Amino acid sequence: MTEVALARETKVTTRQLIGVLTAALCRNRRRPCRIVSLTRRLSPYSTSFSLEELDVELDNGTTLELMFKDLNWFSMLKASQLVKPFFLYDPTREIETYRRILKLDKFGTPKCLATVIDPAKGHYWLFMERVPGLQLRHVGDFDIWLEAARFLAHLHSRFSCDEKLAAVGHRSNLLSYDRTLYRQWILRAEFLLHREEATHPPKARRDIRWLASRYHKVIESLLSVPTTFIHGEFYASNVVVRPTANGAHTRLCPVDWEMAAIGPGLIDLAALCAGNWTEDQKFALAEAYRIAFSGPGLGSTRSLLRQLDRCYLHQSIQWLGWSLEWNPPEDQSQNWLEIAMQLALRLKL
């Protein structure tokens, strides 16, 4: 992991934004250009870090609609600063993901226009295309959700046999779903539930202790699954669905790659399936993924569903170990301990 510079930084000025963008535009277009105006406003989609919408007018009359993300720790929204586990923080991860990985293929992700990594100044800046549309969680058409499952299968297939992925992942500071990471979540969950025992009944503490004593079985099984490049938080709130002029949905655009990782592809599918879906709907999403996947190691539908249950269990343990002060977005909110226990019993741990 990169050594993180936490130097406090004053608000990024418009002059600084214009300087970076002008240099990037001249370099990309291979000719001089000038920005005649730049307007900026806080995006309503800001979640963890400060996210701004930029309207950039060029001297030839062209207008660019961009997003600016400042990944310095001190630009993080205060509510997120209080609850985000610090061991997950790396301000270069999302930037390097756009620089080194997402540029390799056109998966519908936002086009990256410019980046800045300057640890001495604490500058970790990302400039991207602004993609209009709805968050997937606001889309009721289940066919679009099935398309999202197929999107994931194509993404994971593309990188599942990439011999250079491990090296690229290391240079990009991707998270690694290894034994240490899996153990860290169950240990955090157990610690947090015991630390605040006044707010948790004895049964909850007994349940998490029971889970922790058996969780090594889940870890070993997940470690046996072939890995690929994954988003890490492929929740419906992190997927933009872009409509065409006639209203048809044509483009799925995953955003917020802060938790990009090398790990089991089914981790992403579990995130997509999070929410109040019926078992039949979850099966349909899993089957759409299985049919579209062309990489190795997925196995039969039965095997896939069993591994997916282990990923659901990991997801539940992760949210239990995130923070007692944190409440997930509505589309991710669940009784995670109850779900974890149900899954553990179904898996016969």
Side-chain angles (χ1 to χ4, degrees):
M1 178 178 287
T2 300
E3 184 175 344
V4 177
L6 291 181
R8 287 188 178 274
E9 172 62 18
T10 57
K11 181 177 176 61
V12 181
T13 68
T14 300
R15 182 187 293 272
Q16 288 174 306
L17 297 183
I18 290 175
V20 171
L21 287 174
T22 299
L25 288 167
C26 292
R27 182 172 59 252
N28 294 342
R29 299 183 177 209
R30 297 182 180 179
R31 54 184 169 80
C33 67
R34 184 170 62 88
I35 294 174
V36 297
S37 72
L38 185 152
T39 58
R40 53 194 294 199
R41 57 192 171 275
L42 187 66
S43 171
Y45 295 112
S46 296
T47 52
S48 52
F49 289 92
S50 174
L51 188 64
E52 294 185 40
E53 298 178 355
L54 307 181
D55 295 328
V56 182
E57 184 181 353
L58 305 182
D59 54 1
N60 64 0
T62 302
T63 298
L64 303 177
E65 296 181 340
L66 305 177
M67 303 295 286
F68 166 59
K69 191 170 188 178
D70 183 355
L71 289 151
N72 184 289
W73 177 267
F74 293 103
S75 81
M76 192 183 296
L77 304 181
K78 295 302 179 185
S80 297
Q81 260 189 26
L82 293 173
V83 300
K84 188 179 181 73
F86 188 73
F87 76 92
L88 295 175
Y89 175 66
D90 189 317
T92 68
R93 184 181 299 123
E94 185 171 17
I95 295 172
E96 294 290 7
T97 295
Y98 275 100
R99 277 183 173 180
R100 300 177 184 272
I101 301 175
L102 297 179
K103 72 172 185 178
L104 300 178
D105 296 276
K106 295 181 179 179
F107 286 106
T109 54
K111 296 176 182 177
C112 178
L113 183 67
T115 61
V116 174
I117 296 179
D118 188 342
K121 296 180 179 178
H123 291 175
Y124 303 100
W125 300 345
L126 181 59
F127 297 85
M128 302 163 290
E129 164 197 17
R130 187 162 83 237
V131 179
L134 292 174
Q135 291 179 334
L136 180 59
R137 61 178 177 150
H138 297 309
V139 176
D141 186 347
F142 190 63
D143 286 340
I144 304 301
W145 289 77
L146 293 174
E147 188 58 35
R150 289 188 282 268
F151 171 95
L152 276 178
H154 295 313
L155 174 72
H156 297 156
S157 298
R158 162 61 184 82
F159 292 101
S160 62
C161 297
D162 192 334
E163 296 178 355
K164 299 179 181 179
L165 181 60
V168 173
H170 179 73
R171 292 195 298 272
S172 304
N173 302 311
L174 299 186
L175 286 170
S176 175
Y177 277 68
D178 55 14
R179 184 174 282 101
T180 299
L181 184 66
Y182 288 124
R183 280 183 53 80
Q184 193 150 6
W185 285 121
I186 187 64
L187 292 173
R188 283 178 63 89
E190 187 176 20
F191 170 76
L192 290 178
L193 264 69
H194 281 277
R195 189 188 73 181
E196 301 292 334
E197 60 182 64
T199 59
H200 294 281
K203 182 180 183 304
R205 301 197 298 277
R206 288 197 302 271
D207 285 348
I208 194 63
R209 188 163 53 243
W210 182 88
L211 279 168
S213 69
R214 290 160 173 78
Y215 201 65
H216 64 279
K217 299 177 183 178
V218 177
I219 294 175
E220 294 307 316
S221 181
L222 291 175
L223 289 173
S224 70
V225 178
T227 57
T228 185
F229 170 64
I230 65 174
H231 181 281
E233 290 186 313
F234 201 83
Y235 295 101
S237 55
N238 286 334
V239 181
V240 176
V241 181
R242 182 176 185 176
T244 58
N246 63 6
H249 300 290
T250 59
R251 178 181 176 187
L252 292 170
C253 182
V255 296
D256 288 345
W257 294 82
E258 297 165 22
M259 294 277 283
I262 295 177
L266 295 184
I267 292 290
D268 279 347
L269 185 59
L272 177 66
C273 294
N276 297 316
W277 296 109
T278 66
E279 289 302 313
D280 285 345
Q281 288 171 321
K282 286 186 177 182
F283 178 86
L285 290 167
E287 187 69 355
Y289 178 93
R290 186 189 68 80
I291 293 171
F293 185 77
S294 60
L298 199 58
S300 65
T301 300
R302 182 177 180 180
S303 173
L304 180 151
L305 292 173
R306 193 161 180 81
Q307 286 291 26
L308 191 56
D309 275 347
R310 295 186 179 96
C311 291
Y312 290 141
L313 180 51
H314 161 75
Q315 179 187 77
S316 302
I317 296 299
Q318 176 177 300
W319 291 136
L320 285 170
W322 194 269
S323 171
L324 290 176
E325 291 78 22
W326 180 79
N327 291 311
E330 184 178 347
D331 64 313
Q332 302 168 28
S333 182
Q334 302 284 336
N335 184 334
W336 295 116
L337 182 56
E338 180 179 327
I339 291 173
M341 288 298 295
Q342 291 172 354
L343 289 164
L345 294 174
R346 188 156 73 188
L347 290 165
K348 298 180 180 179
L349 293 188

